[in-house]
Amino acid sequence: MRACLNSLQRQGLLKTCKQTAPVAPKFLLVNGPSLQSRSYTSISAADLQFGQPVHETHPHLLRPGELTPGLTALEYAQRRSKLASKLPKNAVAVLAAADVKYRSGAVFYEFHQESNFFYLTGFNEPEAVAVIEKTANDNDHTFHLFVRPKDPKAEQWEGSRSGTQAAIDVFNADETGDINDVERHLAQIIADASEVHTDLQPKPAATSAFARLFSNTSPKAEGLASLFKNSNVRPLRPTINDVRNIKSNAEIANMRRAGQASGRAFTEAMRQGWTSEKDLASFLEYGFKRHGCDASAYVPVVAGGRNARQIHYVRNDDILSQSSLVLADAGGEYGNYITDITRTWPTSGAFTGPEKDLYNALLNTQRTCISLCRASASNSLDKLHEIAEKSLRDNLSQLGFNMSGNALETLFPHHLGHYIGLDVHDTPGQSRQLPLQTGQCVTIEPGLYVPDTEDFPAAFRGMGMRIEDSVCVQDEHPLVLTTEAVKEVDDIEALRS
């Protein structure tokens, strides 16, 4: 990105901001050539509107120099540089923004940016393409960002757009252009590239066999794919996973903020009596936002009684019995970074003897595994899963369970944990067999789901419970990101006493 990164490294802010005395960036809004480069003008950013918050328009959300909450423009530039350093000379990486998805007709779902695109750009609008073009010089690259142009008529209906000039002056692109002309802009870049690293597909993979029956190729996707047909195309995912794998201090701070807010909402929920899954789910989602999260990170699971044995139960429409347990799996997100929490507690406020015994068997296992989330222990997620299985087998045997055959697989059918970050299941495809490293963030979530059959002790039949925390791996001690959500039996019961 030529002089751009040097400027950012000197300033630590937007390209037009000085670290000692931040000022609003300036923009020139004129009809110029379709491919734009940097220019300097005299219009204050505070007088303009963008497709997402910037410090000059939303100082209550972003500090000077931040491009998105908690993350500076410099950090985004460093991410692009790190990715470029892993590409061969004259190779390019091509990424597309997420598209708006519609529930029906003109009714759209809340927009959520494609995670790899967001990670590298901080740009939070649809219909955009980012290209990182590695030059022959190992220490240099060009960042292209093609976006929707400003359009007052469209913006009256859809909300503000950042536009092409902001792509340069706010998002630090070296070159930009109208997304509607992206094929023309990309043609020469792709033709000159030694390799094209991308996960774009002309026909996106359908998520189910049923969906594949009706999937269609979009004309835009076909157009982009045609640009790659004579190129040496490589998958981008392994490279971008390697870049996203270790979280920066700023990323960890965002996840800690989400975890703290979400944990407080959980503890507040446990203080109260609930009669329906729906009411509890609504309270948690409201609590996440009230304590500072932007939104819920995923559709919550709020499962009372036997519903807790369904791992991804999301109907949340049943009555809560005052003589059973309730399992809640939910979490908020802050600055697009998520947290993931599960707690199980008695709706009455007090555990029965069998509930307490089974819960403590699960909690002992979770404590053991969390304590081993440190780089010095050289454990992988798969190794921790094996440790969890042994702990559960030993604890359950002491409670009278027959643990022969596939009993443990029946009682604990899912993995102990997964990576987290911008996504609930972060860096998809990343191996769980590799030793955990400092800065990786994971969940630790053992669960027990006891079928209501004679194969298991009568006192525990029908119970479902899971305990989950978000954890950041450190050198010698794990950092639990969700500690505000109480989980000790005495602490849970004290909330209602």
Side-chain angles (χ1 to χ4, degrees):
M1 41 194 254
R2 298 191 287 267
C4 167
L5 180 57
N6 293 332
S7 172
L8 280 168
Q9 289 171 331
R10 289 194 301 269
Q11 300 169 53
L13 302 171
L14 300 180
K15 291 182 180 176
T16 52
C17 295
K18 296 181 180 179
Q19 190 166 5
T20 55
V23 296
K26 308 294 183 180
F27 303 91
L28 178 63
L29 301 181
V30 297
N31 293 321
S34 60
L35 191 62
Q36 295 173 245
S37 299
R38 175 168 304 281
S39 61
Y40 298 92
T41 68
S42 58
I43 301 175
S44 170
D47 297 328
L48 302 177
Q49 291 190 346
F50 303 89
Q52 66 191 75
V54 298
H55 167 69
E56 288 75 18
T57 61
H58 291 69
H60 58 292
L61 297 180
L62 296 110
R63 293 178 296 233
E66 289 182 347
L67 192 55
T68 61
L71 296 170
T72 65
L74 174 58
E75 178 152 340
Y76 283 102
Q78 290 171 332
R79 292 171 176 181
R80 294 189 292 270
S81 292
K82 186 174 181 180
L83 177 67
S85 71
K86 296 178 179 295
L87 298 176
K89 292 180 180 180
N90 296 317
V92 299
V94 182
L95 305 95
D99 204 357
V100 175
K101 295 179 174 57
Y102 289 86
R103 179 169 179 165
S104 64
V107 180
F108 48 84
Y109 288 104
E110 184 176 5
F111 178 72
H112 187 80
Q113 188 59 280
E114 198 280 325
S115 295
N116 288 334
F117 183 90
F118 182 84
Y119 181 84
L120 293 171
T121 67
F123 189 75
N124 208 21
E125 296 180 40
E127 297 185 56
V129 169
V131 179
I132 297 174
E133 183 183 11
K134 178 77 170 283
T135 67
N137 181 348
D138 283 339
N139 298 318
D140 206 0
H141 70 274
T142 300
F143 171 39
H144 308 260
L145 184 59
F146 303 101
V147 303
R148 300 175 301 177
K150 298 291 287 184
D151 182 338
K153 186 174 182 179
E155 291 175 63
Q156 182 181 12
W157 286 91
E158 302 169 0
S160 300
R161 299 177 176 182
S162 294
T164 53
Q165 191 64 49
I168 291 175
D169 290 322
V170 175
F171 298 95
N172 296 294
D174 296 306
E175 294 185 357
T176 187
D178 186 337
I179 187 62
N180 297 302
D181 297 327
V182 68
E183 291 178 45
R184 178 168 57 84
H185 294 321
L186 280 181
Q188 193 60 51
I189 298 173
I190 299 301
D192 293 341
S194 60
E195 294 179 1
V196 177
H197 292 241
T198 186
D199 296 320
L200 297 178
Q201 302 175 27
K203 191 170 186 176
T207 55
S208 68
F210 177 79
R212 284 194 289 272
L213 294 174
F214 305 100
S215 60
N216 294 312
T217 303
S218 73
K220 185 176 290 187
E222 284 184 330
L224 286 176
S226 68
L227 297 176
F228 305 147
K229 64 182 180 181
N230 296 319
S231 300
N232 183 8
V233 179
R234 302 292 179 88
L236 179 61
R237 178 187 287 182
T239 307
I240 192 68
N241 278 356
D242 190 40
V243 175
R244 286 177 55 183
N245 179 33
I246 304 298
K247 301 324 187 244
S248 69
N249 289 337
E251 291 178 285
I252 294 168
N254 275 8
M255 297 176 71
R256 174 69 183 113
R257 183 163 177 172
Q260 183 181 63
S262 302
R264 287 173 175 167
F266 264 89
T267 296
E268 288 177 352
M270 284 186 262
R271 291 183 190 276
Q272 305 185 36
W274 298 97
T275 59
S276 76
E277 295 169 347
K278 178 184 70 174
D279 289 349
L280 174 52
S282 298
F283 182 87
L284 285 170
E285 293 189 286
Y286 165 71
F288 299 156
K289 290 186 177 182
R290 186 168 68 86
H291 286 293
C293 289
D294 302 322
S296 289
Y298 51 95
V299 179
V301 172
V302 178
R306 64 183 183 181
N307 295 335
R309 291 183 299 165
Q310 301 175 37
I311 296 168
H312 286 160
Y313 171 89
V314 293
R315 280 172 45 184
N316 305 340
D317 61 1
D318 214 341
I319 298 299
L320 291 174
S321 167
Q322 295 308 296
S323 61
S324 65
L325 299 167
V326 60
L327 182 156
D329 184 342
E333 68 177 36
Y334 175 75
N336 279 29
Y337 284 85
I338 69 95
T339 196
D340 196 350
I341 305 174
T342 305
R343 292 292 184 265
T344 308
W345 69 93
T347 53
S348 67
F351 289 90
T352 65
E355 288 171 350
K356 184 182 295 185
D357 289 342
L358 193 65
Y359 184 90
N360 278 327
L362 191 64
L363 182 59
N364 290 338
T365 296
Q366 202 227 17
R367 281 201 212 99
T368 297
C369 293
I370 286 179
S371 71
L372 295 172
C373 289
R374 57 184 195 272
S376 60
S378 298
N379 288 308
S380 65
L381 278 175
D382 279 353
K383 177 62 177 177
L384 290 176
H385 182 80
E386 293 174 7
I387 293 169
E389 287 182 322
K390 182 180 186 307
S391 175
L392 288 174
R393 187 178 287 108
D394 292 345
N395 277 278
L396 293 175
S397 294
Q398 294 176 26
L399 294 178
F401 282 75
N402 178 355
M403 298 306 296
S404 62
N406 65 346
L408 184 60
E409 183 180 348
T410 299
L411 294 165
F412 179 35
H414 58 77
H415 202 281
L416 176 70
H418 53 83
Y419 303 105
I420 54 174
L422 283 173
D423 294 313
V424 177
H425 287 257
D426 207 48
T427 55
Q430 185 175 347
S431 174
R432 297 182 191 181
Q433 298 179 349
L434 301 175
L436 294 174
Q437 303 175 62
T438 298
Q440 284 185 303
C441 295
V442 299
T443 64
I444 299 296
E445 50 179 306
L448 289 170
Y449 316 91
V450 186
D452 192 3
T453 69
E454 295 182 356
D455 295 327
F456 302 97
F460 305 106
R461 291 174 192 166
M463 291 186 191
M465 56 180 66
R466 184 165 65 253
I467 308 172
E468 175 184 21
D469 283 289
S470 297
V471 182
C472 182
V473 178
Q474 304 288 278
D475 290 337
E476 297 295 336
H477 304 283
L479 172 63
V480 180
L481 302 169
T482 48
T483 187
E484 282 76 13
V486 301
K487 61 182 177 181
E488 300 294 331
V489 168
D490 289 345
D491 292 337
I492 291 173
E493 293 186 333
L495 293 173
R496 299 276 294 279
S497 63

